[in-house]
Amino acid sequence: ILALRYDLTVPFARYVAMKKIKNIKRYQIARVYRRDNPAMTKGRYREFYQCDIDFAGEYERMLTDTECVKLVCDILQELDMNNFTVKVNHRKILDGIYVN
């Protein structure tokens, strides 16, 4: 029997649940495969690389969101892709701006 990895998130969630891990942060880049018949002409392929940034557990509010944005910025800068803009669209942040 041959099994092709369809997704990175489900095996990670299963691992965390089976090992009863309280808090974990990790990233993974791996090849995954689609089960459907993707439209190759529209840029959807059966085989592609997926990058996951996963946080499981309880963390200080908004900390994991901040870490995700910082990680993406660090990666882009390391790849010398310095001409980028990060746009944050979060209702609570916008509410806070308009209150003041």
Side-chain angles (χ1 to χ4, degrees):
I1 295 176
L2 173 66
L4 300 177
R5 186 177 337 167
Y6 179 70
D7 184 87
L8 298 179
T9 304
V10 174
F12 172 67
R14 186 178 298 124
Y15 173 80
V16 169
M18 288 173 54
K19 300 293 184 182
K20 298 182 172 131
I21 296 172
K22 300 260 186 217
N23 287 337
I24 186 171
K25 299 176 186 180
R26 67 114 197 203
Y27 66 91
Q28 178 181 4
I29 299 173
R31 189 177 300 178
V32 294
Y33 303 87
R34 292 188 191 277
R35 290 184 358 194
D36 61 354
N37 293 319
M40 305 286 186
T41 58
K42 294 182 181 177
R44 287 190 54 169
Y45 300 103
R46 288 183 191 270
E47 174 185 336
F48 60 98
Y49 283 90
Q50 179 177 329
C51 175
D52 274 12
I53 303 170
D54 294 306
F55 300 90
E58 293 184 22
Y59 294 93
E60 190 176 322
R61 191 175 199 167
M62 301 294 288
L63 178 65
T64 53
D65 296 316
T66 305
E67 287 185 34
C68 271
V69 173
K70 178 159 182 4
L71 183 59
V72 169
C73 291
D74 290 347
I75 290 168
L76 292 174
Q77 288 172 346
E78 189 67 29
L79 294 171
D80 289 328
M81 300 173 72
N82 295 315
N83 190 16
F84 64 89
T85 302
V86 174
K87 296 182 179 183
V88 177
N89 184 7
H90 191 283
R91 183 69 187 181
K92 290 183 180 180
I93 294 172
L94 294 174
D95 288 345
I97 291 171
Y98 290 122
V99 167
N100 295 323

